[in-house]
Amino acid sequence: DSGVTQTPKHLITATGQRVTLRCSPRSGDLSVYWYQQSLDQGLQFLIQYYNGEERAKGNILERFSAQQFPDLHSELNLSSLELGDSALYFCASTTGQGLNYGYTFGSGTRLTVV
Amino acid sequence: TQLLEQSPQFLSIQEGENLTVYCNSSSVFSSLQWYRQEPGEGPVLLVTVVTGGEVKKLKRLTFQFGDARKDSSLHITAAQPGDTGLYLCAGINLSGNTPLVFGKGTRLSVIA
């Protein structure tokens, strides 16, 4: 157990639907990162939050949004789902920012859009 | 965008063999990290290399950071089936304030 909890572990939904993925970071970690992993693209950074505030945005689609709550858990909302959104979605947390902070990853949510 | 190229993409070897995988970029990084990911799990941090030319050892795994801090290698001695997994390198840029950039990984299979 890495200390980062992601739910649900698996999700199957239809095109056009909306889903919410949840992440609880490791105790004491203030930064939360969301990544999407697919076979052809590898791990792609989506968005980062630090202590409740958005800090960085990557290749996140406009149909996707996220937030970090006061208790530091984070949610990634995916809407108007397309077949191509099927992927593994990982959340990672770190204690701080900057140099040399290793990321602690959760076990991921496998999203299948049918 | 800083890119990290990993090679080979796939590697299948017999137990007991040695191997080296590479992580290359045209960009300079303040540090590089190596992760291993097993099926159904998230990546797990193995090591962080910070200084150009630095060599770190983790049991049978040897990690090296290039002198120019643009590339890194991972050498495994006497590979074992438990080494099977996806090996990812990830770079931290010079300012240190942007998220990790990951390579696509090397998928290693060690056959008993």
Side-chain angles (χ1 to χ4, degrees):
Chain A
D1 181 7
S2 68
V4 176
T5 303
Q6 287 189 249
T7 57
K9 196 162 178 64
H10 301 277
L11 198 50
I12 301 175
T13 190
T15 54
Q17 295 298 304
R18 171 190 169 97
V19 297
T20 298
L21 312 184
R22 182 187 168 100
C23 169
S24 293
R26 196 178 52 171
S27 178
D29 284 358
L30 300 178
S31 277
V32 170
Y33 303 80
W34 286 97
Y35 281 82
Q36 180 192 59
Q37 186 177 41
S38 60
L39 282 175
D40 56 340
Q41 293 296 320
L43 268 168
Q44 296 288 309
F45 168 68
L46 296 177
I47 197 164
Q48 176 202 357
Y49 281 84
Y50 178 79
N51 202 20
E53 293 189 3
E54 180 185 306
R55 279 300 172 96
K57 253 185 176 178
N59 299 322
I60 187 166
L61 300 171
E62 285 191 11
R63 301 182 285 109
F64 295 0
S65 64
Q67 53 185 331
Q68 186 179 29
F69 295 86
D71 67 351
L72 301 179
H73 92 271
S74 179
E75 293 181 355
L76 178 66
N77 301 296
L78 315 176
S79 62
S80 302
L81 284 167
E82 303 175 359
L83 296 177
D85 298 327
S86 295
L88 276 165
Y89 291 84
F90 286 102
C91 163
S93 71
T94 63
T95 301
Q97 300 186 96
L99 298 177
N100 309 330
Y101 283 105
Y103 287 16
T104 302
F105 282 84
S107 297
T109 293
R110 180 176 293 279
L111 174 66
T112 303
V113 183
V114 297
Chain B
T1 304
Q2 296 171 304
L3 294 176
L4 285 164
E5 301 285 340
Q6 290 191 245
S7 61
Q9 193 175 351
F10 299 96
L11 189 56
S12 181
I13 62 170
Q14 294 291 126
E15 181 177 4
E17 292 183 357
N18 302 330
L19 67 114
T20 302
V21 298
Y22 301 92
C23 173
N24 295 293
S25 176
S26 58
S27 302
V28 177
F29 290 94
S30 67
S31 61
L32 275 178
Q33 298 181 340
W34 285 90
Y35 291 77
R36 182 170 69 203
Q37 184 179 12
E38 298 185 22
E41 298 297 329
V44 175
L45 178 66
L46 296 174
V47 77
T48 301
V49 285
V50 179
T51 307
E54 180 178 6
V55 176
K56 279 192 174 178
K57 293 194 173 186
L58 186 66
K59 297 182 181 178
R60 295 176 293 100
L61 278 60
T62 301
F63 304 84
Q64 183 161 9
F65 201 11
D67 290 341
R69 306 211 313 272
K70 292 183 179 181
D71 54 84
S72 181
S73 63
L74 159 59
H75 181 80
I76 301 179
T77 304
Q80 299 177 1
D83 296 326
T84 294
L86 179 66
Y87 288 82
L88 297 159
C89 67
I92 297 173
N93 76 356
L94 291 177
S95 65
N97 62 359
T98 55
L100 282 177
V101 174
F102 282 85
K104 292 186 179 182
T106 292
R107 193 167 297 277
L108 172 65
S109 176
V110 182
I111 303 164

